[in-house]
């Protein structure tokens, strides 16, 4: 088990660097019941940092599976009004939000994939306002993760439960720089480095990005006018900086939804709604998915793509170096928070409004007209490989190499 000093550093990172909690601000913590110990530490550290009040919402994979297995689809799709009202209350109060993402990767394995997708879609549609509030940076939010027994044994299948949890904690501590003398400063330095990468991309104002590797990815993706590449720290609408993911190794932006052309092949499996999707490809023409296939999890992938019209288009393109400490672990984590930071990736669904310069002056319709995709979903999938080649294409046709052999050239 990780020592208490590192656990306190973990909580401090989530509070002070992640959501950048302000004095008297309310905080919401979403956490699995198995990880109650970290929730308690986060709550205590939040109050010490000046929180006004802290709310904790608990999740339980066992109960989630039982509900999905035995409750009728109609019942599960009927989202209670009190849940919607609770989220509206959070928006009204301007809470900060910390989510501990640590689900069993196979929580819904063997259940009806179509039912799972329809229930997930109904939930996302009912909570669209809250989803928009986070993706538009109305609220400051941060996703972190700690081991659970099922997840740890999925990552380390040859270990017993206790050994697997210890090994996963060791990996997470290294990835989160908890082994540094001053983890907060280490993250500040790391964020500055990623910001320099974003500045290079923004200064070039590329019209499109071309990605290619030997695995079969060969796609060109256009970018909206006045797009912005973001990295690590962002500014919420209240002007306060925050870090949405810890860890994070990506520099990302929103593509123009009508411009992707080519084929992408996954580099890592995707864990979606407790099901694994692997050995899959997706083909795009004028932005829209026109073909796809998967050797594992085809129905889950199909259900994801058919969620709504927006899930037929891309909402994010992100560049991640093979020098990422997560990539160097050379291990699949079955958790998007980690796996997406080991590999260049794309996302199906909603684009981040903050990836357009003047997004605060634009409504949803205007953002859509600018090319920023809209959907109730946003699902990342990994395409980056050690041989990944990435180039930017300027408006005058000039090509500038960004990645060579999986790493930044500058």
């Amino acid at each position: 088990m990780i020592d208490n000093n590192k656990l306190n550093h973990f909580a401090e990172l989530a509070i002070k660097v992640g959501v950048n909690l302000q004095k008297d601000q309310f905080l919401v913590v979403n956490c699995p019941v198995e990880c109650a110990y970290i929730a308690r530490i986060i709550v205590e550290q939040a109050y010490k940092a000046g929180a006004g009040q802290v709310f904790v919402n608990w999740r339980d994979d066992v109960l989630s599976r039982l509900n999905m297995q035995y409750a009728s689809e109609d019942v599960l799709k009927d989202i209670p009004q009190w849940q919607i009202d609770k989220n509206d209350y959070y928006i009204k109060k301007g809470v900060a939000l910390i989510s501990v993402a640590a689900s069993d990767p196979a929580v819904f394995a063997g259940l009806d994939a179509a039912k799972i997708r329809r229930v997930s879609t109904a939930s996302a549609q009912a909570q669209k306002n809250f989803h928009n509030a986070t993706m538009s940076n109305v609220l400051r939010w941060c996703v972190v993760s700690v081991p659970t027994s099922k997840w740890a044994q999925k990552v380390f299948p040859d270990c017993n439960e206790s050994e697997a949890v210890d090994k996963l904690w060791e990996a997470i501590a290294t990835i989160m720089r908890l082994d540094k003398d001053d983890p907060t400063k280490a993250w500040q330095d790391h964020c500055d480095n990623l910001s320099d990468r974003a500045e290079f991309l923004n200064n070039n104002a590329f019209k499109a990005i071309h990605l290619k590797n030997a695995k079969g990815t060969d796609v060109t993706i256009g970018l909206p006018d006045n797009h912005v590449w973001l990295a690590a720290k962002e500014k919420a609408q209240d002007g306060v900086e925050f870090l949405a993911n810890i860890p994070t190794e990506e520099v990302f932006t929103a593509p123009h939804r009508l411009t992707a052309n080519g084929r992408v092949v996954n580099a890592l499996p995707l864990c979606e709604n407790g099901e694994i999707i692997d050995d899959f490809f997706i083909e795009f023409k004028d932005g829209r998915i026109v073909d796809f296939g998967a050797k594992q999890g085809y129905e889950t992938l199909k259900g994801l793509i058919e969620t709504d019209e927006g899930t037929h288009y891309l909402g994010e393109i992100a560049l991640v170096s093979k020098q990422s400490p997560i990539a160097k672990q050379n291990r699949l984590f079955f958790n998007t928070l980690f796996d997406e930071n080991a590999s260049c990736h794309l996302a199906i669904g909603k684009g981040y409004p903050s990836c357009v310069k003047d997004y605060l002056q634009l409504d949803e319709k205007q953002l859509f007209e600018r090319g920023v995709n809209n959907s109730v979903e946003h699902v990342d999938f990994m395409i980056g490989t050690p041989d990944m080649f990435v180039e930017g294409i300027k408006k005058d046709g000039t090509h500038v190499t960004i990645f060579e052999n999986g790493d930044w050239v500058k």
Side-chain angles (χ1 to χ4, degrees):
M1 181 63 181
I2 191 169
D3 64 65
N4 286 333
N5 186 49
K6 285 188 172 67
L7 288 176
N8 283 318
H9 279 314
F10 180 102
E12 287 175 2
L13 279 173
I15 292 163
K16 296 180 179 180
V17 178
V19 297
N20 197 358
L21 190 71
Q22 304 295 292
K23 183 173 172 36
D24 297 325
Q25 186 176 17
F26 284 17
L27 175 69
V28 174
V29 181
N30 296 320
C31 186
V33 292
E34 188 176 339
C35 307
Y37 66 95
I38 196 66
R40 295 181 186 118
I41 294 172
I42 290 172
V43 169
E44 182 175 7
Q45 293 294 337
Y47 278 122
K48 287 181 177 179
Q53 187 173 3
V54 184
F55 305 99
V56 179
N57 297 317
W58 300 106
R59 301 192 311 275
D60 186 330
D61 281 343
V62 175
L63 295 182
S64 295
R65 181 180 176 88
L66 289 171
N67 282 329
M68 189 62 67
Q69 183 174 1
Y70 292 110
S72 74
E73 182 177 322
D74 287 342
V75 167
L76 294 175
K77 287 166 61 177
D78 184 15
I79 310 303
Q81 185 61 42
W82 63 264
Q83 289 188 7
I84 300 169
D85 292 342
K86 180 177 69 172
N87 287 338
D88 288 343
Y89 172 80
Y90 291 158
I91 297 171
K92 180 180 178 181
K93 295 298 291 186
V95 304
L97 178 69
I98 295 175
S99 294
V100 180
S103 295
D104 175 4
V107 61
F108 294 136
L111 300 185
D112 184 347
K115 176 184 177 182
I116 294 166
R117 168 50 52 190
R118 289 190 293 266
V119 170
S120 175
T121 300
S123 177
Q125 289 172 338
Q127 301 181 68
K128 184 178 179 180
N129 285 345
F130 189 71
H131 183 59
N132 287 343
T134 55
M135 292 198 71
S136 299
N137 295 347
V138 172
L139 303 179
R140 279 175 277 117
W141 52 283
C142 181
V143 182
V144 293
S145 198
V146 299
T148 60
S149 57
K150 292 286 188 182
W151 175 31
Q153 288 185 292
K154 184 73 172 178
V155 180
F156 297 97
D158 296 329
C159 297
N160 64 39
E161 180 179 318
S162 177
E163 291 171 340
V165 169
D166 286 345
K167 282 183 173 292
L168 186 51
W169 251 129
E170 181 181 348
I172 291 174
T174 300
I175 289 166
M176 291 187 65
R177 297 168 171 81
L178 299 179
D179 54 346
K180 304 297 184 183
D181 292 337
D182 187 344
T184 299
K185 184 180 185 304
W187 272 98
Q188 299 287 1
D189 293 343
H190 174 57
C191 290
D192 289 344
N193 181 54
L194 288 177
S195 294
D196 289 343
R197 303 292 191 191
E199 183 178 9
F200 162 75
L201 294 170
N202 286 325
N203 287 342
N204 275 279
F206 293 117
K207 178 182 179 181
I209 301 293
H210 175 220
L211 305 98
K212 185 176 181 179
N213 63 18
K215 194 173 178 67
T217 288
D218 190 352
V219 64
T220 300
I221 303 171
L223 305 175
D225 291 337
N226 295 319
H227 68 274
V228 178
W229 289 88
L230 300 173
K233 288 189 176 181
E234 299 181 57
K235 272 192 177 179
Q237 291 193 22
D238 61 5
V240 177
E241 285 190 329
F242 72 104
L243 188 58
N245 292 331
I246 304 179
T248 183
E249 303 290 336
E250 65 180 316
V251 181
F252 66 96
T253 193
H256 192 295
R257 63 186 181 85
L258 300 178
T259 58
N261 285 285
R263 179 185 179 102
V264 296
V265 178
N266 75 303
L268 295 170
L270 169 62
C271 183
E272 173 66 9
N273 283 328
E275 294 284 348
I276 300 298
I277 309 171
D278 199 8
D279 290 326
F280 66 89
F281 74 89
I282 301 175
E283 290 187 5
F284 297 88
K285 181 174 176 54
D286 297 332
R288 201 173 200 276
I289 295 173
V290 293
D291 193 17
F292 63 91
K295 291 183 180 179
Q296 180 179 356
Y298 174 83
E299 289 300 326
T300 302
L301 178 61
K302 181 175 183 289
L304 168 61
I305 292 171
E306 294 177 353
T307 298
D308 60 21
E309 181 61 16
T311 45
H312 290 78
Y313 298 85
L314 292 175
E316 180 185 3
I317 174 172
L319 304 180
V320 179
S321 167
K322 69 179 181 183
Q323 301 301 326
S324 154
I326 305 173
K328 286 183 175 181
Q329 296 254 346
N330 194 29
R331 185 178 303 280
L332 182 65
F333 284 90
F334 299 95
N335 182 315
T336 300
L337 177 63
F338 293 92
D339 292 333
E340 73 168 0
N341 285 295
S343 170
C344 292
H345 56 273
L346 306 174
I348 291 173
K350 187 175 179 64
Y352 289 103
S354 54
C355 290
V356 174
K357 286 181 181 178
D358 52 350
Y359 81 100
L360 290 177
Q361 283 73 53
L362 304 175
D363 59 26
E364 192 173 87
K365 181 181 178 182
Q366 291 170 317
L367 283 165
F368 190 71
E369 290 171 348
R370 290 278 189 96
V372 179
N373 194 32
N374 194 17
S375 171
V376 298
E377 284 286 4
H378 177 96
V379 178
D380 300 279
F381 62 97
M382 287 60 73
I383 63 170
T385 54
D387 70 335
M388 178 63 78
F389 172 80
V390 182
E391 64 180 349
I393 305 170
K394 293 188 172 184
K395 290 182 178 179
D396 64 2
T398 303
H399 289 231
V400 178
T401 301
I402 301 170
F403 265 49
E404 205 160 46
N405 292 321
D407 197 8
W408 297 91
V409 298
K410 293 184 180 181

